[in-house]
Structure formats: structure tokens, C-alpha cells
Amino acid sequence: MAQADSNHEAHWQRTKSLTILVLIIWFIFAFGVHWFAPQLNSISILGFPLGFYMAGQGSLFAFVVIIFWFARAQNRIDEEFGVAEEENEDE
């Protein structure tokens, strides 16, 4: 029972650390980039000011990448601790 609790606690610590990291990255792209948009506009990407680009597409692209990265990292943690969902081979 103590081994299971220790394994559960280690899994939760890794999951919590990953979640906090993802929230920090999300916060940077959701708010940080937009707060500093005037300063970022001095940088140009494909002819567009970086602040404008990040508001229009960059942040949305970053959110999609974060979702897939988070799902993959969480799956790796789940597999490491033996709590991953099993793939159904019938489908």
C-alpha cells in the first residue's frame, strides 16, 4: 500500500509540474506577448510587425502546439508510472 501511495504521489508531482509549466507558457502567449506588442512591433516577420503577427496567428499557433505537446508529455508520464490508457487494437 505504501508503494502504491508513493507511486501515485510521484505521478501526481510530475503531472502537477507539467501542468504548471504549460500554464506559464500559455500565460506568456496569451498575455505577455500582447502586453509587449508595441515593443515587439519593431521586429518584422514576412513584412508584418511581430506584435501584430502574434495577435493574429502566432499565439493561436502556439496554443495548438502546446496542446499536442502537453498531451504527448502527459502520456509519457502516464506510461512511465503504468497508468496510461491502453490503445484499443480493434478500432
Side-chain angles (χ1 to χ4, degrees):
M1 185 69 173
Q3 177 69 23
D5 288 342
S6 175
N7 193 35
H8 178 75
E9 183 65 29
H11 177 261
W12 175 238
Q13 285 297 331
R14 296 275 308 273
T15 298
K16 193 166 54 173
S17 296
L18 177 64
T19 303
I20 291 170
L21 177 64
V22 168
L23 287 175
I24 290 170
I25 295 170
W26 172 84
F27 182 83
I28 290 169
F29 281 103
F31 295 104
V33 168
H34 301 285
W35 284 335
F36 297 104
Q39 290 82 10
L40 292 173
N41 282 339
S42 63
I43 302 169
S44 179
I45 293 182
L46 301 174
F48 296 103
L50 181 59
F52 174 78
Y53 175 78
M54 290 304 291
Q57 290 182 330
S59 293
L60 299 175
F61 180 73
F63 295 147
V64 172
V65 170
I66 290 170
I67 288 169
F68 284 103
W69 175 73
F70 176 77
R72 190 172 182 169
Q74 182 63 56
N75 193 43
R76 246 186 275 132
I77 292 171
D78 290 347
E79 287 175 356
E80 181 180 326
F81 288 93
V83 294
E85 295 179 8
E86 294 182 19
E87 301 262 340
N88 189 354
E89 295 180 11
D90 294 338
E91 295 179 344

